[in-house]
Structures are given as C-alpha cells and as structure tokens.
Amino acid sequence: NAGVTQTPKFRVLKTGQSMTLLCAQDMNHEYMYWYRQDPGMGLRLIHYSVGEGTTAKGEVPDGYNVSRLKKQNFLLGLESAAPSQTSVYFCASSYDSYTEAFFGQGTRLTVV
Amino acid sequence: TQLLEQSPQFLSIQEGENLTVYCNSSSVFSSLQWYRQEPGEGPVLLVTVVTGGEVKKLKRLTFQFGDARKDSSLHITAAQPGDTGLYLCAGSALYAGNKLTFGGGTRVLVKP
C-alpha cells in the first residue's frame, strides 16, 4: 500500500521557469491538499480539493494553480517560479476534513 | 494570519520533565487533530478530538479539547528524547470551507 506519493522529491528551478508537482493517492480519498512548509514553521494551505473535478483556494494560493482531473491525482503547478516559492511542499489526502490526513514525503523546491 | 495559534514556538527540556503545548483559536472547530513531524518526513497523526471537554490519553501523552471547542492542549509526562519533534495542531470547520488548516507548530527538544 503506497499511500500518498509525491514526485519529484527534489527540484531546482530558475526564476521564471514553470513546473508541475504530482501527488497520487491509492486510498480512494475524496479530499486532497497541497501545503507549503518554510523553515521552522507550520504548514500553510495552498489549494485543496473536496472531490474529483473540484478545487478551492487555501491561505496562500497566489502564484500556484491546481487540477484534480482524476480522483487519485492532485497536481500543483507553478507558472513562473519566484525565489519566494522556495519551500518544502507536502501533499495530503483524507476521507473527509475530520479524519486523518495522510501525507506524502514532501518535495523540496529551490528557486534560484 | 493563522487561524490556529500554537504556543510556545520552541520548547527545550531535560529528559524526565513534563511539558505542555497549547493550540488556541478565536473560532469554534468541529474537530482538532494533533500531528507530530520528524525531520524530512510528513506529519503523522497522533490523535483527533471532537467533543468539547474531551480528554484522550496515548501512553504518556494527554490531549484535551476545550469546552467551547476553541482550544486544545497536549501534555507530555516524563518526556523522552524520542518525543523530540515538531508538534502541529490542525482543525477544520464547516464555516471555514471544511478544509484542514494547521497551526504554526511547536518544536520540542528533549535533551538526554
């Protein structure tokens, strides 16, 4: 049982480049989330989805876009990367917002 | 501004001492969760509390949900070096879009 898988695990981007982070879950969860975590801080919600085909903004959505075309996948896109987007990105999934959220291993992104 | 405020931000204690971490909000939450995160890993759920006044025990860890469901605490008795990590509270509420949002975290260091 793989749980939540994020790819890639590490990435270095130049300012202005674009990229997509992929999150896949095999638990048939409805809810999926993208968070960013900066050094010494908690998790800040970027975007989330409560089901296939739906997305919603979180606390810090600017500069990011998401898509949930299939229930098991949640994609996070950076159209034009900025140094302020250097962070560790975590994807999570859960049955609903009240039950346990399962997290991926994280993607460490550096924008230079 | 985070909906959930955790205090303290950092706690350093000796093995065998007790500690308490607080999670406060001005808003009512349907449920609160506590997670622990170790370096290089995603957060892992410790407990979920859903009823005002609820107390849950997990070995040396005691979790309490405030009567008004606006705050929670985590108490560790006789802390051990293995308790070292980042402790995060997270909550969801229908009025806030049913999304799971996290506090800023408390970093705990237990010295042997």
Side-chain angles (χ1 to χ4, degrees), chain B residues 17-20 60-62 74-80 83 87 108:
Chain B
E17 293 182 337
N18 301 331
L19 69 97
T20 302
R60 294 176 295 99
L61 278 61
T62 301
L74 156 62
H75 182 79
I76 301 180
T77 304
Q80 299 175 359
D83 295 324
Y87 289 83
V108 172

Side-chain angles (χ1 to χ4, degrees), chain B residues 6-76:
Chain B
Q6 285 188 240
S7 61
Q9 288 184 309
F10 179 70
L11 202 51
S12 178
I13 60 171
Q14 292 295 134
E15 182 176 1
E17 293 182 337
N18 301 331
L19 69 97
T20 302
V21 175
Y22 298 94
C23 176
N24 295 298
S25 175
S26 57
S27 305
V28 175
F29 283 88
S30 304
S31 67
L32 270 179
Q33 300 173 357
W34 284 93
Y35 290 79
R36 191 174 108 186
Q37 184 182 22
E38 300 196 22
E41 303 287 332
V44 175
L45 182 72
L46 295 172
V47 80
T48 300
V49 285
V50 295
T51 305
E54 181 177 4
V55 176
K56 279 192 174 179
K57 292 192 175 185
L58 190 67
K59 296 183 180 178
R60 294 176 295 99
L61 278 61
T62 301
F63 304 86
Q64 187 161 7
F65 200 11
D67 290 340
R69 291 187 289 131
K70 292 182 178 181
D71 55 88
S72 182
S73 64
L74 156 62
H75 182 79
I76 301 180

Side-chain angles (χ1 to χ4, degrees), chain A:
Chain A
N1 190 349
V4 179
T5 303
Q6 290 183 231
T7 52
K9 289 185 170 46
F10 302 93
R11 185 73 187 269
V12 178
L13 283 180
K14 293 183 178 179
T15 297
Q17 287 185 319
S18 63
M19 78 163 293
T20 301
L21 282 66
L22 172 63
C23 178
Q25 53 97 2
D26 61 4
M27 296 171 281
N28 201 34
H29 284 162
E30 292 293 338
Y31 282 61
M32 295 188 76
Y33 306 88
W34 275 108
Y35 297 92
R36 62 176 288 174
Q37 185 173 37
D38 298 310
M41 296 181 67
L43 301 171
R44 291 188 291 171
L45 183 63
I46 304 171
H47 286 281
Y48 66 107
S49 169
V50 301
E52 181 180 315
T54 73
T55 63
K57 294 180 180 179
E59 303 166 75
V60 288
D62 293 343
Y64 305 94
N65 58 74
V66 289
S67 64
R68 182 106 182 260
L69 299 179
K70 293 184 178 180
K71 186 177 184 178
Q72 63 268 34
N73 296 335
F74 196 29
L75 279 64
L76 178 70
L78 284 74
E79 292 181 345
S80 180
S84 60
Q85 294 178 304
T86 293
S87 190
V88 179
Y89 292 84
F90 284 99
C91 175
S93 73
S94 62
Y95 177 72
D96 58 35
S97 64
Y98 308 108
T99 53
E100 180 177 5
F102 293 84
F103 283 81
Q105 292 279 56
T107 296
R108 186 172 295 275
L109 175 67
T110 302
V111 183
V112 298

